[in-house]
Amino acid sequence: MVHHDSLFRLRIRFLSFLIFIITITTVKSQNLQFTITFEIKSLDSNLINGSEIKIYNDKNSYSVSTNEKGIAVISLIPGKYKAEAWKNGILGYSGKISVTKTETFILPVQEKLNSIEEVVITAKEGKGLTSSSIINQRAMQHLQPSSFSDLLELLPGGRSNDPVLNQANKISLRETGRPGTDYNTSSMGTTFLVDGAPLNSNANLQYSYDFLDKTNNGLKRRLTVNSGVDMRTISTDQIESVEVLRGIPSVVYGNLTSGIVKITNKSGYTKWKARFKADGYSKLFAVSKGFENKEKDLKINTGLDYLNAKTDPRDRLESYKRITAHLGIMKEKKYDHGTAKWQSNLSYTGSLDGSKSDPDIDLSELNSYEVNNHFLSLSNVFNYTKNEPSFYRSTEIQATVNQRFDKIKQTKFIQLENATAFPLSRIEGEYDGYYPEPRYISNYTVDGKPLDLFVKMINNFQFNSQSMTHEFNAGFDWQMSKNWGKGQLFDIYRPIDPKATFRPRAYRDIPAYMTSALFLESINSLNAGKHKLTLALGLRGNTMLNLPSFFKMNGKWYADPRANFQWELPSFDWMNKKATLALTLGYGKQSLFPDLNLLYPELIYKDIQQLNYFHNNPNYRRINYKTLIYNPQNPDIEPAVNEKFEARIDFSLGTHQLSVTVFKENMRNAFRSMNEYALYQYKKYDTSGLNHDAITSPPDVNTLPYQTVNENFLYTTQRNGSKVDKEGIEFQYSSNRIPVINTRFTLNGAWFRTKYGNSLPVYRGRDLLINGRPYPYLGLYEGMEPNSVNEVLNTNLMLDTYIPRLDLVFSSSFQFSWYSTRQILPMSGIPSHYVDQNGTVLPYNPDSVKGTILESLIIAQNEDVYNTTRRPMEMNLNLKVTKSFRNKSVVVSMFANRLFSYYTPYNINGFTINRKGAYDPYFGMEINFNL
């Protein structure tokens, strides 16, 4: 009996242990996942990109998109699934798969899914977590651009414009109006990434002292100090695709305020390609070739292009030239546990911007200038990705070196209007000046050598549960910019501007610009039935290094939180087509640090004439100055911060696509030049007692009587004083290609409302003389700078027709600007405080100053200035044609912008403005060879 009881207990224990093992095994099998690779191929076995794969069973549902190679990778729990491949909203494949191990499934789709609907010649709206526009190579080829500036026409609200290549082209995203240089933070805060490598202007100090040039020779409009990247210098001929992120980007990207332009250059095998373009403004030539060794997983791509442009083809004296060369190498190595990819890009851009004076106007025939920029960039990106499922997934390391060689050369003939003298001292004190020749030639050079270093690391981690995917990005970036140039070079006895208040300085003496950042991001996706919820939360910490201790930013970290949420509703069938709907919300802050020119502005030399004794005998002349030096550096300057909100709805019905985005952006501390005041004292010598006919030497300042004078002085400093508020609606709809006529309708546009203003009080003086002396007081005004509200509503209706039999693409674009308005908000001309002759700031009471000279500080306002100006509807018709011959070996394109235009007349102050014939059509054509 005891034996049977022991045997029974032993069996019970064994059965319990077996049940425990089975339970553990079952639980483990539920968590076990295999890496499954899907390849989407056409009937002739070519990989097809841009497809969506849906995998689901009774318990789980997954969705993944193929990459540019037509491959998608996903981790799945063992089991049986149904797999569907969708292309352009059309079901191309449906079948069952069984997941029991790591393997690859090939899903064949119908060829029609990758043919006529794939011809896209405008920007496509991205469907990711942030609003973006994607421009492919075919769209660029049909547009026929001369520089990157032309591509902005394809963004919502964009319009075609004639190329303006005699001045810097600054980017402006989601805004309207022309507010001036005090609002350059938006363009400065747009990041350009070329294959992940940033283009920046942090150490750009190329500017001219020739501030008072009355000839309007256009030198200053060619300079990009504090205004970001000049889009003229970016060629489009080596570009594979462009993505413009307008919304809230990942925290992986920083030191920006407005948006990101991601440029991907060509890689892999391509035929010899040559492009020749000519229009009324420029001539362009480009050639490129791509090589690929599949056995060694090696890709090489190279290209060269040249642009020669003129503002007016009849003007041989003003031109812009650009030459670009690019070499890209990509190497991929597969290991047992992962894949390593190394990508290196070497590029060169040279631009020559210049003008000579017209000999019929300038009799000296000497005035000329050149703005030469040579840019070398070497970027390397190393990426390692694990093949097997694990918490650690990938690491990307990027290192970029950019070196610029910038030079301004200017020659100017100076004719002094009267007996002018020049101060020479570089230190404070009282010194004699110099009487120059009444005519001289000034040779002026600005030498800049900005060096930019950039290092970035991103680590990706991921783990999956039954219905959720958790992804994490963590990393850092560091950048350094240093200008090694000689700076301003000129003869101080022959300055380019006789009234300049500066002295030469070497750029290499300025400290390096240095920033660093840490970031962490969590991206969580939940498949709740047929709903898919995605939430991205990120935090970026930014700091500026290498700053003097007295700066407010020294040792301080600035946080940029960002969040994006997307809800993809279950798809449904409607009118025999698949319909999808997704809602996306976003919020984030973006910070931009001030660049070198904002951090370390030039010293200001205030040279006050104490004695100016001019005698007919040059040996008896004497000019005496008191030189004061003011440092306009602002240690309280901080990063400009843009706070962004946006909401987007994406709807698709088959190949019909609709996207609507509502956004609001507020930047209240952008950079601008503002007045600061200082008090100075000097001696005013009296020479009335001298016998001019009897003197035998210059006057002696030690024996001359003088009067001590106190005066106020205004100079400019850089402060966080501008505000830019943006709000608007962007939309884009694209139809399917209508059968028989093969025509697609694309309607996009935007309503933008932008408010510009000054967020800080400003000092102002009055240009008045009291008893022959300058007005002695300064006023401090709240809201005295003009605040303007600008609105515009633009739409673009494009009809593009693709005829496969003729390999012909024909498009007509009807571009409407339905209205544009500008209103300057009322300003108060009454100061809140004033500065007296002793430099004391006192309250200003407009009632108590009546009848005194302080009343002159009240600036009268013109009420007519505050009337809203409105420009009514404008319409342009643009035509473009692209025709291929000999199996695309020869492609001929032409365009005609403003072939037909209509501008509604409008009234201003009782006068009718008729703009008929104000703008001429703009034509051009090009030919491409694929050999």
Side-chain angles (χ1 to χ4, degrees):
M1 185 72 179
V2 175
H3 174 73
H4 288 288
D5 290 341
S6 299
L7 184 61
F8 179 75
R9 285 196 298 269
L10 182 63
R11 289 176 178 175
I12 291 295
R13 289 175 182 176
F14 176 77
L15 184 60
S16 299
F17 177 75
L18 182 61
I19 294 173
F20 174 75
I21 293 297
I22 293 174
T23 303
I24 293 297
T25 304
T26 303
V27 173
K28 290 288 186 181
S29 66
Q30 290 298 317
N31 292 328
L32 179 65
Q33 294 184 342
F34 295 110
T35 300
I36 303 300
T37 302
F38 292 97
E39 294 184 359
I40 307 298
K41 290 188 176 182
S42 61
L43 297 181
D44 57 0
S45 298
N46 290 324
L47 290 169
I48 300 175
N49 61 7
S51 300
E52 183 185 9
I53 303 172
K54 291 187 175 295
I55 311 103
Y56 57 91
N57 56 19
D58 294 337
K59 297 181 180 180
N60 302 301
S61 176
Y62 306 92
S63 177
V64 64
S65 298
T66 57
N67 59 17
E68 68 277 1
K69 297 179 180 179
I71 298 174
V73 180
I74 191 173
S75 297
L76 295 176
I77 299 171
K80 294 183 179 180
Y81 296 88
K82 185 175 182 180
E84 296 178 349
W86 294 82
K87 181 70 175 180
N88 297 317
I90 301 175
L91 180 63
Y93 172 86
S94 179
K96 295 182 179 181
I97 61 173
S98 179
V99 175
T100 59
K101 60 181 180 179
T102 297
E103 62 180 315
T104 299
F105 292 98
I106 298 175
L107 309 182
V109 301
Q110 301 175 21
E111 182 67 21
K112 66 178 183 179
L113 301 181
N114 194 40
S115 56
I116 189 169
E117 290 292 347
E118 286 294 283
V119 180
V120 179
I121 60 172
T122 187
K124 295 181 64 176
E125 284 296 286
K127 295 185 177 181
L129 291 174
T130 183
S131 57
S132 66
S133 298
I134 302 170
I135 305 170
N136 62 24
Q137 193 177 26
R138 187 147 194 174
M140 287 185 282
Q141 184 184 57
H142 190 71
L143 185 64
Q144 306 163 59
S146 296
S147 72
F148 192 89
S149 307
D150 298 329
L151 300 185
L152 301 186
E153 171 189 348
L154 302 178
L155 303 183
R159 301 186 69 202
S160 64
N161 293 291
D162 294 356
V164 183
L165 298 173
N166 67 334
Q167 67 183 39
N169 291 182
K170 299 178 291 186
I171 193 169
S172 178
L173 296 178
R174 286 182 163 179
E175 65 181 275
T176 182
R178 297 180 179 180
T181 57
D182 283 333
Y183 302 93
N184 277 340
T185 306
S186 293
S187 58
M188 180 182 170
T190 301
T191 295
F192 282 78
L193 300 175
V194 181
D195 290 323
L199 299 176
N200 65 57
S201 57
N202 296 325
N204 178 21
L205 299 170
Q206 294 299 101
Y207 51 85
S208 169
Y209 286 148
D210 194 10
F211 294 113
L212 300 179
D213 180 21
K214 297 293 194 292
T215 62
N216 191 26
N217 62 16
L219 174 59
K220 290 186 284 295
R221 68 172 182 260
R222 287 169 160 82
L223 306 180
T224 58
V225 179
N226 306 138
S227 58
V229 174
D230 184 358
M231 292 186 292
R232 293 180 303 170
T233 62
I234 303 178
S235 168
T236 62
D237 290 285
Q238 311 306 325
I239 296 178
E240 180 71 28
S241 64
V242 174
E243 183 177 12
V244 181
L245 280 73
R246 309 185 307 271
I248 297 99
S250 163
V251 292
V252 178
Y253 307 104
N255 206 18
L256 54 91
T257 59
S258 297
I260 301 174
V261 178
K262 298 173 66 175
I263 298 173
T264 303
N265 283 322
K266 300 175 183 175
S267 64
Y269 172 79
T270 60
K271 297 180 179 180
W272 278 104
K273 293 186 177 182
R275 178 191 180 206
F276 303 88
K277 178 190 176 183
D279 57 36
Y281 300 94
S282 63
K283 295 178 177 61
L284 185 148
F285 163 76
V287 61
S288 64
K289 178 71 175 81
F291 307 88
E292 185 171 357
N293 187 327
K294 294 185 177 180
E295 295 180 357
K296 297 182 178 180
D297 289 322
L298 179 66
K299 300 177 181 179
I300 300 176
N301 204 279
T302 183
L304 177 72
D305 66 82
Y306 173 75
L307 171 71
N308 188 341
K310 298 182 182 298
T311 306
D312 187 334
R314 299 164 297 181
D315 184 0
R316 297 178 293 105
L317 303 173
E318 186 173 13
S319 65
Y320 171 76
K321 299 180 178 67
R322 183 194 68 216
I323 183 169
T324 304
H326 174 259
L327 173 64
I329 302 174
M330 183 183 295
K331 171 68 176 175
E332 193 171 290
K333 182 71 173 178
K334 296 182 179 179
Y335 299 95
D336 294 337
H337 300 290
T339 301
K341 185 172 70 172
W342 168 68
Q343 182 177 358
S344 182
N345 291 279
L346 176 64
S347 62
Y348 163 78
T349 300
S351 60
L352 173 62
D353 220 340
S355 175
K356 295 182 179 179
S357 59
D358 188 342
D360 294 333
I361 300 174
D362 174 25
L363 299 181
S364 69
E365 301 185 30
L366 295 172
N367 294 336
S368 65
Y369 65 87
E370 290 182 357
V371 181
N372 297 337
N373 300 305
H374 301 276
F375 174 74
L376 284 168
S377 176
L378 174 62
S379 68
N380 290 275
V381 179
F382 173 79
N383 185 285
Y384 177 78
T385 304
K386 289 274 290 183
N387 292 336
E388 299 295 330
S390 65
F391 177 62
Y392 165 74
R393 289 303 174 95
S394 67
T395 294
E396 180 177 290
I397 301 174
Q398 179 185 336
T400 302
V401 180
N402 295 337
Q403 177 67 68
R404 295 172 60 97
F405 300 91
D406 300 334
K407 189 160 288 187
I408 299 174
K409 294 182 179 179
Q410 187 175 7
T411 300
K412 187 175 182 182
F413 175 74
I414 304 296
Q415 171 71 63
L416 299 176
E417 299 176 356
N418 47 40
T420 304
F422 299 151
L424 304 176
S425 175
R426 294 196 179 192
I427 59 177
E428 290 189 327
E430 298 181 2
Y431 304 95
D432 284 350
Y434 165 74
Y435 284 105
E437 300 174 4
R439 300 180 180 180
Y440 63 87
I441 297 172
S442 178
N443 293 304
Y444 177 67
T445 300
V446 184
D447 177 65
K449 295 183 177 68
L451 172 67
D452 300 314
L453 304 178
F454 182 79
V455 178
K456 185 175 188 176
M457 173 184 280
I458 306 173
N459 298 289
N460 179 262
F461 306 90
Q462 183 176 334
F463 70 90
N464 301 328
S465 59
Q466 292 188 3
S467 58
M468 290 192 67
T469 299
H470 308 273
E471 184 177 353
F472 302 93
N473 292 310
F476 74 93
D477 63 46
W478 173 88
Q479 62 178 326
M480 189 272 287
S481 299
K482 171 70 176 176
N483 198 315
W484 295 98
K486 298 178 181 178
Q488 313 279 349
L489 303 173
F490 63 94
D491 184 354
I492 61 173
Y493 294 95
R494 297 184 174 188
I496 195 76
D497 179 6
K499 299 181 181 180
T501 59
F502 300 93
R503 305 289 192 272
R505 72 163 174 172
Y507 293 159
R508 63 184 62 177
D509 296 336
I510 301 173
Y513 172 101
M514 198 176 298
T515 65
S516 183
L518 301 173
F519 51 83
L520 177 64
E521 181 179 45
S522 170
I523 305 173
N524 303 283
S525 297
L526 170 65
N527 290 299
K530 294 185 178 181
H531 296 260
K532 183 177 180 181
L533 306 176
T534 303
L535 175 65
L537 298 174
L539 180 65
R540 180 183 179 90
N542 312 278
T543 187
M544 195 159 208
L545 310 174
N546 197 41
L547 280 176
S549 59
F550 56 82
F551 266 86
K552 188 175 182 179
M553 293 186 295
N554 180 53
K556 189 174 180 179
W557 285 83
Y558 296 88
D560 284 357
R562 299 173 196 170
N564 288 286
F565 171 75
Q566 188 172 73
W567 176 19
E568 298 179 44
L569 280 74
S571 60
F572 56 94
D573 293 331
W574 187 23
M575 295 186 294
N576 297 323
K577 293 182 175 64
K578 176 187 174 184
T580 63
L581 181 65
L583 172 66
T584 306
L585 303 173
Y587 166 79
K589 287 186 177 181
Q590 300 174 168
S591 301
L592 174 70
F593 285 109
D595 64 9
L596 274 187
N597 190 57
L598 297 171
L599 292 172
Y600 304 100
E602 285 202 79
L603 297 177
I604 296 175
Y605 290 78
K606 179 65 175 177
D607 302 294
I608 309 105
Q609 283 190 8
Q610 300 189 125
L611 170 67
N612 188 352
Y613 184 78
F614 188 84
H615 198 278
N616 291 332
N617 187 339
N619 296 323
Y620 301 157
R621 298 171 186 171
R622 187 163 192 178
I623 178 75
N624 183 267
Y625 288 94
K626 181 173 184 179
T627 298
L628 299 171
I629 302 176
Y630 297 91
N631 188 353
Q633 187 179 63
N634 178 15
D636 293 328
I637 196 168
E638 291 194 280
V641 178
N642 192 16
E643 190 174 20
K644 307 177 73 169
F645 307 83
E646 74 170 26
R648 187 177 84 247
I649 293 178
D650 295 303
F651 175 75
S652 66
L653 179 63
T655 54
H656 297 263
Q657 305 285 334
L658 174 64
S659 178
V660 180
T661 304
V662 179
F663 69 88
K664 186 176 181 62
E665 303 182 15
N666 301 111
M667 183 164 52
R668 302 300 174 87
N669 66 337
F671 310 121
R672 73 182 296 143
S673 297
M674 298 190 66
N675 288 336
E676 187 56 78
Y677 80 93
L679 179 70
Y680 64 90
Q681 185 181 84
Y682 68 97
K683 301 172 184 176
K684 187 174 182 62
Y685 289 100
D686 183 7
T687 60
S688 61
L690 296 179
N691 186 346
H692 306 295
D693 298 326
I695 64 172
T696 58
S697 63
D700 184 1
V701 294
N702 295 316
T703 60
L704 286 176
Y706 64 86
Q707 177 187 359
T708 301
V709 181
N710 292 331
E711 288 186 2
N712 290 315
F713 166 59
L714 287 177
Y715 62 92
T716 59
T717 185
Q718 301 293 337
R719 301 178 67 184
N720 298 101
S722 284
K723 60 181 178 182
V724 182
D725 295 337
K726 307 177 188 178
E727 59 181 327
I729 302 173
E730 301 167 320
F731 57 90
Q732 177 159 314
Y733 161 76
S734 62
S735 72
N736 66 323
R737 288 203 177 273
I738 299 174
V740 182
I741 62 174
N742 292 338
T743 299
R744 171 186 285 127
F745 291 82
T746 302
L747 174 66
N748 67 23
W751 170 76
F752 293 144
R753 186 177 189 268
T754 309
K755 182 178 179 180
Y756 302 100
N758 185 359
S759 57
L760 295 175
V762 61
Y763 288 102
R764 278 195 176 185
R766 297 308 309 271
D767 190 15
L768 301 172
L769 292 177
I770 305 295
N771 297 325
R773 300 290 305 280
Y775 187 77
Y777 301 111
L778 301 174
L780 180 62
Y781 299 85
E782 296 278 356
M784 187 57 193
E785 293 292 316
N787 288 5
S788 66
V789 179
N790 306 265
E791 281 189 31
V792 68
L793 174 61
N794 293 339
T795 62
N796 181 11
L797 175 62
M798 175 182 284
L799 289 73
D800 69 272
T801 302
Y802 175 50
I803 306 176
R805 184 170 56 87
L806 300 177
D807 207 350
L808 174 70
V809 180
F810 175 87
S811 70
S812 55
S813 175
F814 297 86
Q815 297 187 347
F816 292 85
S817 177
W818 296 99
Y819 74 90
S820 61
T821 64
R822 174 178 172 82
Q823 180 187 14
I824 297 179
L825 301 180
M827 298 179 290
S828 172
I830 301 175
S832 61
H833 296 77
Y834 73 97
V835 182
D836 66 12
Q837 290 175 291
N838 297 318
T840 305
V841 179
L842 301 169
Y844 187 88
N845 187 335
D847 296 326
S848 62
V849 301
K850 291 182 179 180
T852 68
I853 61 172
L854 278 172
E855 190 177 13
S856 298
L857 286 175
I858 299 176
I859 302 175
Q861 302 297 302
N862 183 359
E863 296 298 328
D864 293 337
V865 175
Y866 305 138
N867 295 330
T868 301
T869 59
R870 182 184 180 95
R871 291 166 64 95
M873 191 265 286
E874 304 174 359
M875 191 278 286
N876 298 320
L877 171 61
N878 303 333
L879 299 179
K880 294 180 175 63
V881 180
T882 301
K883 175 71 174 75
S884 300
F885 300 91
R886 298 177 180 269
N887 196 25
K888 298 186 183 297
S889 60
V890 180
V891 180
V892 178
S893 304
M894 67 162 290
F895 67 88
N897 289 352
R898 294 190 305 276
L899 188 64
F900 170 77
S901 300
Y902 175 75
Y903 302 94
T904 305
Y906 62 100
N907 295 318
I908 294 182
N909 297 327
F911 295 94
T912 301
I913 307 298
N914 194 330
R915 297 171 288 169
K916 183 178 181 180
Y919 303 98
D920 296 326
Y922 167 44
F923 299 93
M925 67 175 301
E926 67 175 54
I927 184 169
N928 292 265
F929 296 96
N930 301 308
L931 307 177

